[in-house]
Amino acid sequence: MEDMTNVIEMRHIVKDFNGFKANNDINLTLRKGEILALLGENGAGKSTLMSILSGLIQPTSGTIKVREQKVNIKNPTIAKDLGIGMVHQHFMLMESFTVLENIILGHETTKGPKLDFKKAEKQIKTLSERYNLNVDPQKKISEITVAQQQRVEILKVLYRGADIMIFDEPTAVLTPQEITEFIQILHELAKEGKSIILITHKLEEIERAADRVTVIRAGQSVGTFAVANVDNNRLAELMVGRHVNMQVNKPTEKVGRTMLQVEDLHVKNKQNVAVVKGLSFNLHAGEILGVAGIDGNGQDELVRALTGLQHVDSGKIIIDGEDMTNRKVRQITEKGVSYIPADRQKYGLILPFSVSDNLALQTYYQEPFSRHNVMHYDVIHEHAQKLIKQFDIRTTSERMPVSDLSGGNQQKVIIARELSRNSNLVIAFQPTRGLDVGAIEYIHNQLLNERAQGKAILLISYELDEIMQLSDRIIVLHDGRISGEVKPENTSDEELGLLMTGVKKEGSAFA
Ligand SMILES: Nc1ncnc2c1ncn2[C@@H]1O[C@H](COP(=O)(O)OP(=O)(O)OP(=O)(O)O)[C@@H](O)[C@H]1O
Ligand SMILES: [Mg+2]
């Protein structure tokens, strides 16, 4: 039950990174048993503020009270002892360790000199049953889906006994179904008296989950509001500082030649199980083809096959008239394919490299970026400065390592690079994941611009809104096959939902 006691009070928090104030006088209070949303543009300072609360970084100035006691959270151990746990924006799990090992890492139960795995496993089982967090403790992290990894992160925080829980964009990696389950878990936790801070860019999630919302902009507090008293348009305006148009205006375009032809494609996943089971479709210049579907129905493997990351068992991939089946990544790139991957840190960026270098990742060996094997750094930097401006990438310098950018701004680096490159085919997998509403508006318009210029765009997304608003045609994947093809103007969320669960479309060519 919500009461008015503050469990957290952050006052006048400032965090200076070499002269740049990522937090510049922020106030935040969290009440016992409430769900507080923290909202702000990409780069506004949300993750920084929460890293301060969880002891990962130290504030330059400001005070923090936990349960009305002034504290100095010098390190994560102190945060843990204060009952503060955080699920980070980019997960911090060991891929080759099991779920169980990851959960107990740093908080091991021992029996004499030995680890007591049995006891730990029992505790974890109790926790996962209580909160409906089904994960197999014996599976390796590399074998489970992102949604399951999310649950592992939650279990980790629960196992450590946290009663103040921070979630940094937990839903960015979840599908709509998983989001609903996740919000239920949050309500469950709050009901038991846990106090929760939730960072999300999705305004309708704030409406569904949170009691109050604290808005910050450019490192400063804008205000805190009862969710019942502010609507989404107002929230968007408060956070971006201008009106945001959340409806896309899509003009009709004439389609051109076939840019992508997929014929009876069969692909296996990393565990050698067939997951793409005979896909056929085509995509034309000047067209956006949406691929809808529930996560895990062949999307990953389709994209990996198209981009040369995964071997094709049988079938064909023809790009702009040329058979590109089982070609190398670079050959496919040079054929004119841009790729915005779903996992930005794993496949989209080289984190320790500068923003400049990341913006030239596929083109650094070509003119004008280099000549006769000599890199032209002035050209690379200039190119970066142009894109930083054009795509509103929030960074103090193009020389900054991309790892120091906020999550959403890392995403903008990838999009800027891929859309500015000379390509005919854009494969966009969850392109607006983790972006704020203002940035989404901009990226959607960019994709429509690309379409107007005659590019072909394959848009794979779990956001039905995004698919419905941008696509000219939509194919729905179910169990590695197409369960239906529809046009957004002639379908509904309900019909798409049915197709996504495998109910075939009547009269469909694929039925
Ligand atoms: N270690 C660092 N060194 C320099 N600047 C940093 C560092 N960490 C963060 N910043 C900067 O601080 C600002 C705030 O970043 P933060 O990650 O807190 O944003 P955010 O609100 O979480 O954004 P997003 O929604 O994109 O995740 C950004 O401009 C970022 O580049
Ligand atoms: Mg962040």
Side-chain angles (χ1 to χ4, degrees), residues 14 25 138 142 240 314 341 381 385 420 425 445:
V14 174
D25 194 3
Q138 297 305 338
S142 57
V240 186
S314 66
H381 286 305
Q385 282 160 5
S420 62
L425 172 63
N445 285 328

Side-chain angles (χ1 to χ4, degrees), residues 47 89 168-169 407:
S47 296
Q89 185 167 9
D168 194 351
E169 283 188 52

Side-chain angles (χ1 to χ4, degrees), residues 266-281:
H266 289 259
V267 189
K268 291 200 180 82
N269 66 8
K270 288 182 207 155
Q271 285 81 41
N272 219 23
V273 178
V275 277
V276 173
K277 307 171 180 173
L279 273 191
S280 301
F281 62 87

Side-chain angles (χ1 to χ4, degrees), residues 14-23 45 47-49 51-52 57-58 60 396 400 404:
V14 174
K15 177 65 194 181
D16 190 318
F17 290 113
N18 308 313
F20 172 77
K21 291 195 170 70
N23 286 174
S47 296
T48 303
L49 188 71
S51 296
I52 290 173
I57 56 176
Q58 302 309 302
T60 310
T396 39
M400 194 147 110
D404 281 353

